[in-house]
Amino acid sequence: MTITLSGPMLPPKSGQAAKQVMVLLHGYGADGSDLIGLGGEWRDQYPDMLFVAPNAPWPCARNPAGFEWFPLSDRPVEDFRRDGADMARPVIVNFLIDLWAQTGLSARDTVLCGFSQGAMMALHTGLSLDHKVLAIIAFSGALIPPPGAWAKPPVALIHGDLDGVVPVQLSRDAEAALNAQGVDVRFHLEAGTGHGIAPDGLGFASAFLAEVAAKT
């Protein structure tokens, strides 16, 4: 059975055909509408960018009004995250393949951006693709290492120092692992921030995107 993702989108502000696309992956128990607003932060800067925020494929066990990329469990965290990411990754990859077919775009035109569990999936999926995406932006996430050789797109890791849901150390560990693989990775610590996206973190992501886009 093929699982098809859907969710809100923001068309290019220019009114022209999209030249780039940002895929926004929401956190556990949320949905695409929770993250599509980030697109509004970048539409002026990237008027030819399409923003899409698919709902995760499964209803959230702990919040039936929302969705999950993978379930939480009483098993060791590393185990259920790894197994869950392996289950969700093909769904996201198929979504990307369909999206590229519909828009005429490709991996090099694509930014993967996620928050929390969505950030984990953005990293896990983006690093395992056959071709590099334009960039990965991971807010309050963690690295679930994909199997095999890694693609090496530029990565921004952004995390609040007071995060009580996903410990900030997980982004520090991700930075070290990505550096060891030769990935161009930047880390920003949001001072005084819990499990959320602060203005300084958003500003850091915007500057990172501008730098990456200037090189294309």
Side-chain angles (χ1 to χ4, degrees), residues 78-168:
E78 293 81 2
D79 291 347
F80 76 69
R81 281 182 179 157
R82 183 182 61 249
D83 292 348
D86 287 345
M87 181 174 61
R89 177 189 169 277
V91 180
I92 297 174
V93 171
N94 287 336
F95 173 79
L96 292 172
I97 291 171
D98 288 345
L99 179 65
W100 294 331
Q102 292 169 21
T103 61
L105 300 175
S106 65
R108 66 176 177 270
D109 309 307
T110 303
V111 178
L112 294 180
C113 177
F115 173 72
S116 192
Q117 195 178 80
M120 299 176 197
M121 290 312 309
L123 288 166
H124 185 78
T125 304
L127 293 170
S128 65
L129 294 172
D130 292 336
H131 301 284
K132 288 197 304 184
V133 294
L134 178 62
I136 300 172
I137 302 173
F139 291 99
S140 306
L143 175 62
I144 306 169
W150 293 7
K152 298 179 181 180
V155 174
L157 305 171
I158 301 152
H159 215 124
D161 64 344
L162 301 179
D163 194 331
V165 178
V166 180
V168 65

Side-chain angles (χ1 to χ4, degrees), residues 20-211:
Q20 295 171 316
V21 60
M22 180 181 291
V23 178
L24 297 151
L25 303 179
H26 64 77
Y28 179 82
D31 59 21
S33 62
D34 186 62
L35 217 55
I36 193 64
L38 277 181
E41 299 288 340
W42 288 313
R43 289 186 88 198
D44 288 341
Q45 190 174 1
Y46 304 100
D48 293 322
M49 184 175 282
L50 168 68
F51 298 88
V52 296
N55 299 324
W58 297 285
C60 180
R62 302 188 183 185
N63 176 23
F67 299 88
E68 63 186 28
W69 297 104
F70 54 84
L72 309 184
S73 80
D74 294 330
R75 298 167 58 214
V77 172
E78 293 81 2
D79 291 347
F80 76 69
R81 281 182 179 157
R82 183 182 61 249
D83 292 348
D86 287 345
M87 181 174 61
R89 177 189 169 277
V91 180
I92 297 174
V93 171
N94 287 336
F95 173 79
L96 292 172
I97 291 171
D98 288 345
L99 179 65
W100 294 331
Q102 292 169 21
T103 61
L105 300 175
S106 65
R108 66 176 177 270
D109 309 307
T110 303
V111 178
L112 294 180
C113 177
F115 173 72
S116 192
Q117 195 178 80
M120 299 176 197
M121 290 312 309
L123 288 166
H124 185 78
T125 304
L127 293 170
S128 65
L129 294 172
D130 292 336
H131 301 284
K132 288 197 304 184
V133 294
L134 178 62
I136 300 172
I137 302 173
F139 291 99
S140 306
L143 175 62
I144 306 169
W150 293 7
K152 298 179 181 180
V155 174
L157 305 171
I158 301 152
H159 215 124
D161 64 344
L162 301 179
D163 194 331
V165 178
V166 180
V168 65
Q169 185 60 42
L170 293 176
S171 278
R172 295 189 186 278
D173 293 344
E175 180 189 25
L178 292 167
N179 269 322
Q181 290 287 333
V183 175
D184 176 10
V185 57
R186 328 289 175 81
F187 174 68
H188 177 75
L189 184 67
E190 298 170 310
T193 300
H195 193 59
I197 301 174
D200 63 301
L202 186 59
F204 180 85
S206 297
F208 166 76
L209 261 184
E211 180 184 342

